[in-house]
Amino acid sequence: SSSSSAHGGCAPEQDSAAVASEPAGKRRKKESLAKLSLLSEEDKRTFLLKMLKADMSGATDRVDKSWCMPDLTADGRTADVGSGFNFDFRTRRIEMTDEAWGELAKACRIVFALDGSSWMPCGAEPRCLAERLASAVFAQHTAGASFDPARSGAEWWAQVRQSGHSEEAIQFHWDTDEVAVEQH
């Protein structure tokens, strides 16, 4: 999240006992983020991209041996989501401040630059505006559904295009779970 600090650019003081009990990796990440306030905007972007790439470098698609194709209804929809799941098309207007739209645009440019998708696990605490939106969309669409929260969540990604360039347009398409397609 790109929020401004209320501490004049300095990290708030922390209880040394609480810091010592944190895992070293989490502590290093917090220290790295605290250093961001001292960098120029361009250096911040470079530093954040480096951190995000490091986070993603170990991430690969894992094969879940217990996963199987769910039963489908006659019209090809997942049968085991429960009768309360709403398959109807829905839209929702999102009201955000100009500052929030700017924060979201910045996050989308960073995520797009990494050329990947992100996963927001069900029940996890969102770390930024983009994850809060993904979590809200997931909650909206799963209201009334039956699902396993430990194996559920929202995959999200960003596409950033220059206006006026028709060759960059995203054509209509269906997204698929490529790993599941390859497995089954």
Side-chain angles (χ1 to χ4, degrees), residues 23-71:
K26 187 174 184 179
R27 191 170 50 251
R28 277 193 303 274
K29 197 173 279 190
K30 277 186 174 181
E31 290 166 357
S32 294
L33 289 172
K35 291 177 186 176
L36 281 176
S37 64
L38 306 174
L39 300 175
S40 69
E41 286 301 310
E42 183 60 30
D43 289 343
K44 283 179 188 177
R45 183 179 187 283
T46 302
F47 185 77
L48 285 170
L49 285 171
K50 184 178 174 184
M51 283 180 62
L52 287 168
K53 284 180 183 177
D55 279 352
M56 294 177 63
S57 66
T60 58
D61 287 326
R62 289 174 284 150
V63 175
D64 182 351
K65 301 282 187 200
S66 67
W67 186 88
C68 63
M69 188 69 177
D71 292 332

Side-chain angles (χ1 to χ4, degrees), residues 143-166:
S146 300
F147 61 91
D148 177 1
R151 297 176 59 149
S152 302
E155 180 181 21
W156 63 274
W157 57 94
Q159 293 286 326
V160 177
R161 301 291 187 233
Q162 300 297 318
S163 61
H165 297 274
S166 60

Side-chain angles (χ1 to χ4, degrees), residues 158-178:
Q159 293 286 326
V160 177
R161 301 291 187 233
Q162 300 297 318
S163 61
H165 297 274
S166 60
E167 65 277 1
E168 287 193 18
I170 301 171
Q171 303 300 318
F172 180 80
H173 64 281
W174 294 104
D175 288 331
T176 60
D177 181 338
E178 298 298 329

Side-chain angles (χ1 to χ4, degrees), residues 40-175:
S40 69
E41 286 301 310
E42 183 60 30
D43 289 343
K44 283 179 188 177
R45 183 179 187 283
T46 302
F47 185 77
L48 285 170
L49 285 171
K50 184 178 174 184
M51 283 180 62
L52 287 168
K53 284 180 183 177
D55 279 352
M56 294 177 63
S57 66
T60 58
D61 287 326
R62 289 174 284 150
V63 175
D64 182 351
K65 301 282 187 200
S66 67
W67 186 88
C68 63
M69 188 69 177
D71 292 332
L72 302 178
T73 62
D75 59 353
R77 295 186 168 155
T78 305
D80 61 355
V81 294
S83 60
F85 188 77
N86 182 351
F87 283 102
D88 294 338
F89 175 80
R90 294 168 279 166
T91 63
R92 171 138 321 191
R93 183 174 176 85
I94 299 173
E95 297 289 337
M96 293 193 310
T97 64
D98 288 344
E99 182 181 343
W101 280 111
E103 179 183 342
L104 183 60
K106 190 177 203 177
C108 287
R109 285 191 299 272
I110 291 170
V111 170
F112 181 66
L114 295 172
D115 196 30
S117 62
S118 298
W119 179 252
M120 183 64 211
C122 176
E125 187 67 32
R127 300 170 294 182
C128 62
L129 178 59
E131 286 186 349
R132 286 194 304 273
L133 287 170
S135 185
V137 168
F138 178 81
Q140 173 72 26
H141 286 284
T142 57
S146 300
F147 61 91
D148 177 1
R151 297 176 59 149
S152 302
E155 180 181 21
W156 63 274
W157 57 94
Q159 293 286 326
V160 177
R161 301 291 187 233
Q162 300 297 318
S163 61
H165 297 274
S166 60
E167 65 277 1
E168 287 193 18
I170 301 171
Q171 303 300 318
F172 180 80
H173 64 281
W174 294 104
D175 288 331

